[in-house]
Amino acid sequence: MEPGEYAPVPGCTDLYYLDTDMYATANYGSVYLLDAERPAVIDTGLGSNREYLFDALDDLGITPEFVLPTHVHLDHAGGAGFLAERYPDATVLIHESAVEHLVDPTRLVAGTKAAVGDQWQFYVEPEPIPEERVEPLSGGETLDLGDRDLDVHHAPGHAPHQVIFHDRGDDVVFTADAAGIYVPQLDTIEQTSPPSQFDLHGCQDDADMIRDLDPRYLCFGHFGPREFDDGMLAGYKRTLAEWVEAVRQRREELGDDEAVLDHFAEHAPQELIDVWGERKAREEQRMNTRGVLGYLDYMEKQGETI
């Protein structure tokens, strides 16, 4: 699928996914368009390529009633304010701990710039959303979309403000980043461990929660739909543990965090370079390494081991 194109999610009813050309990288960032009786957009992209999203909604004749960012990281919520502005009757729902960041994104932007480094060039300043337009989620709710329901599950491992949605009718889970980054060209899942609130054991628990739901399909924020495979999710748990241990060992060997970041950026897997391009693959490694280093610092302060 090319950037700006959308396609139906196989085996699902009136559900589409859109390639937002996130970070100028095809097949990296997806947004889901649910043409229910009460339509919804699940995740919103960076906002920088919002015209792709607007055009797809227009083409499908969808006027969203709900805007549902799975969490407030700007690659998932950056377009929420632009959608709210374009669709003044839509309600934005996000985890209760993230509401303030949609209303006033100042601190969110500062934290994102620190986390993503040079990748900020692909972002756009998010549009604030009036507080009365945002409703909080805590997990455990069921959203009524008219002809279907979405169950809300809190999934705080990747970020404390992350939720996933389960459409029991089509038996599809919108995974946010709780199931990692799916690379369709390689049919594999890569880790996502960005700063500042990555939690290894929390991420593994979230993967187990999805496994317990045992859906037919997973709809990844990065990238696209795939049939559920329990073995793949079990493998992702191992990938996370091995990734954290690799960063821990390299820090122990080098004794300098900047050297650790440089090492993993320089040694980005060639298969990811082939798929995402050298710039994105190396920056992805750098960002994920920074998140693990922060997690290791946190665990040390708590007197805990990984």
Side-chain angles (χ1 to χ4, degrees):
M1 191 159 67
E2 294 298 316
E5 293 183 347
Y6 65 87
V9 175
C12 296
T13 307
D14 298 324
L15 175 61
Y16 307 86
Y17 69 110
L18 167 73
D19 185 341
T20 65
D21 197 28
M22 190 175 292
Y23 306 114
T25 302
N27 300 163
Y28 183 84
S30 43
V31 168
Y32 292 90
L33 315 176
L34 187 50
D35 192 13
E37 287 181 6
R38 305 175 71 190
V41 175
I42 300 175
D43 280 336
T44 70
L46 292 169
S48 48
N49 289 338
R50 55 191 177 275
E51 292 302 327
Y52 287 156
L53 177 52
F54 295 164
D55 289 347
L57 289 167
D58 288 346
D59 194 46
L60 290 165
I62 295 175
T63 300
E65 189 169 333
F66 298 105
V67 177
L68 304 174
T70 55
H71 55 302
V72 83
H73 290 165
L74 287 178
D75 54 335
H76 295 259
F82 299 106
L83 277 166
E85 183 177 60
R86 192 173 198 250
Y87 300 101
D89 293 328
T91 300
V92 182
L93 293 96
I94 198 163
H95 190 264
E96 58 194 1
S97 64
V99 169
E100 62 178 307
H101 297 298
L102 293 185
V103 175
D104 179 3
T106 305
R107 288 192 298 126
L108 175 62
V109 168
T112 303
K113 288 180 177 179
V116 304
D118 291 343
Q119 292 188 93
W120 179 255
Q121 64 184 295
F122 299 107
Y123 289 69
V124 64
E125 293 280 341
E127 188 73 18
I129 304 173
E131 189 169 4
E132 64 271 16
R133 299 279 308 281
V134 186
E135 293 187 5
L137 299 170
S138 59
E141 299 91 345
T142 295
L143 306 181
D144 177 9
L145 303 189
D147 58 346
R148 71 198 74 196
D149 296 325
L150 291 181
D151 294 332
V152 182
H153 298 271
H154 191 205
H158 175 79
H161 42 77
Q162 179 177 249
V163 299
I164 64 172
F165 300 105
H166 182 202
D167 177 350
R168 282 173 286 140
D170 281 332
D171 202 14
V172 55
V173 168
F174 301 90
T175 66
D177 285 334
I181 295 176
Y182 177 58
V183 187
Q185 299 92 327
L186 305 175
D187 194 30
T188 190
I189 297 178
E190 292 293 322
Q191 73 277 352
T192 175
S193 57
S196 59
Q197 296 163 317
F198 163 75
D199 180 290
L200 170 62
H201 301 301
C203 286
Q204 293 176 322
D205 289 344
D206 292 344
D208 279 337
M209 176 177 62
I210 295 172
R211 295 171 70 195
D212 288 342
L213 292 173
D214 191 27
R216 289 194 309 137
Y217 287 94
L218 300 180
C219 283
F220 290 86
H222 313 281
F223 170 85
R226 190 199 190 280
E227 290 185 359
F228 173 71
D229 180 338
D230 184 76
M232 179 173 277
L233 266 290
Y236 179 54
K237 290 179 62 181
R238 293 190 296 271
T239 294
L240 283 168
E242 291 166 0
W243 167 240
V244 170
E245 178 60 18
V247 175
R248 187 197 65 78
Q249 289 184 9
R250 189 62 58 175
R251 173 188 254 186
E252 190 174 279
E253 293 169 9
L254 297 177
D256 178 81
D257 282 0
E258 284 301 317
V260 175
L261 293 169
D262 290 343
H263 169 83
F264 284 100
E266 291 167 7
H267 293 84
Q270 184 60 48
E271 60 267 24
L272 291 183
I273 292 175
D274 293 342
V275 171
W276 292 339
E278 184 170 351
R279 176 186 59 194
K280 178 56 184 167
R282 297 195 191 283
E283 287 300 322
E284 188 81 14
Q285 290 291 99
R286 183 179 296 276
M287 180 177 66
N288 285 328
T289 303
R290 188 178 290 113
V292 173
L293 292 172
Y295 169 71
L296 294 173
D297 289 341
Y298 171 79
M299 295 294 284
E300 184 177 353
K301 288 178 183 176
Q302 299 300 309
E304 299 180 21
T305 61
I306 60 171

